Amino acid sequence: MTLTAERRETASEQPTTDAAGRRPWRHRLSRFDQNASPYFYISPFFLLFGLVGLFPLIYTVWVAVHEWDLLKGQGEFVGAGNFVEILGDAMFWNSIFNTLSIFLLSAIPQLAVALVIAYLLDRGLRAPTFWRMSVLIPFVVTPVAVAIIFSSIFNEADGLANNLLNLIGIADQEWKHNTALSHLAIAVMVNFRWTGYNALILLAAMQAVPRDLYESAALDGAGAARRFFSITIPTIRPTLIFVIITATIGGLQIFAEPRLFDVSTAGGIGGSDRQFQTTVLFLWELAFFRRDLGEASAVAILLFLLIVGIGVINFLISRRISTGDAPKNRAARRRARTAGAAASASAAAATSTTIATSTEENAR
């Protein structure tokens, strides 16, 4: 009886079919909705990405393999000719050197200082909202305003930087004509804008770290520095990788700061001797001064490959940071060992008490 009832229920649950053996249209529509609706939900992102991301990238490749004037438009097909011209141009390699130099001078100190600021903000300072808003103020200021302010600070004639150096007996420095000093000045501008922003991102990751990890490490005798490098850094590894990648992309695409650092030069193309002309600034010169969109597109593609390459290197280096599971497991093992030792001590004490009581009773 039970088997018969189960078979009837199973048969009633199965969809009926028509004379041709096909399932009803409602069932087919339900299956289609179940399978296709997730793709419709995520389709707006891919449509937007294809419109503003993928299409410009493909069109840039198309422009790069043609002679393309800014005013006349598309010319003849040249294949890899534009890439050969760019790779043989000394100005391109000069821009690559300037970009990498400014990137290293800005990204490394920026991330280090952002980590320290985030750690200090995570330690429970007084008025935490005030300090968090304070470190974000430089990011709110527009890049043009930051560039104008720091261009005035590093003015070679009467800038604040040279005036401060004169107070300690150092002569005026050529901040806008010396290659190394101009790179350092532009890196200071970049760090001023982005350090606070990255610090707040890292702070959000640090606040998600379980506090019992720090307490367990402190009970084991670990100092603040040891807790920072053994617990905080490994636990926030995904966020740290994100910050490193975004800093890499932004640092290699720098444009506004060197463009406005010395507006006295003709066209603002990166100094009188191109001593701080970055790759994006060189691309801008090719496109809107020389009106050669073909070579400018070739520079854009080469810069894209450079960013991808350095991003992959940064990712592989960042993967060497241990995951956040290790400190959790170590702390759990420590707590287990402590609990086990306490339980053993309690059992031993109870056993000793029982033996002493039994001995006393037998003596009586």
Side-chain angles (χ1 to χ4, degrees), residues 173-186:
Q173 301 295 315
E174 296 182 342
W175 296 102
K176 297 183 179 181
H177 291 83
N178 183 276
T179 301
L181 292 178
S182 62
H183 293 182
L184 179 61
I186 295 173

Side-chain angles (χ1 to χ4, degrees), residues 48-63 297 301:
L48 186 63
F49 171 74
L51 181 63
V52 303
L54 187 60
F55 172 74
L57 182 62
I58 297 175
Y59 192 71
T60 300
V61 176
W62 175 258
V63 176
S297 300
I301 295 173

Side-chain angles (χ1 to χ4, degrees), residues 33-55:
D33 177 68
Q34 181 180 359
N35 295 331
S37 58
Y39 298 98
F40 284 108
Y41 295 150
I42 64 175
S43 61
F45 165 77
F46 290 99
L47 292 175
L48 186 63
F49 171 74
L51 181 63
V52 303
L54 187 60
F55 172 74

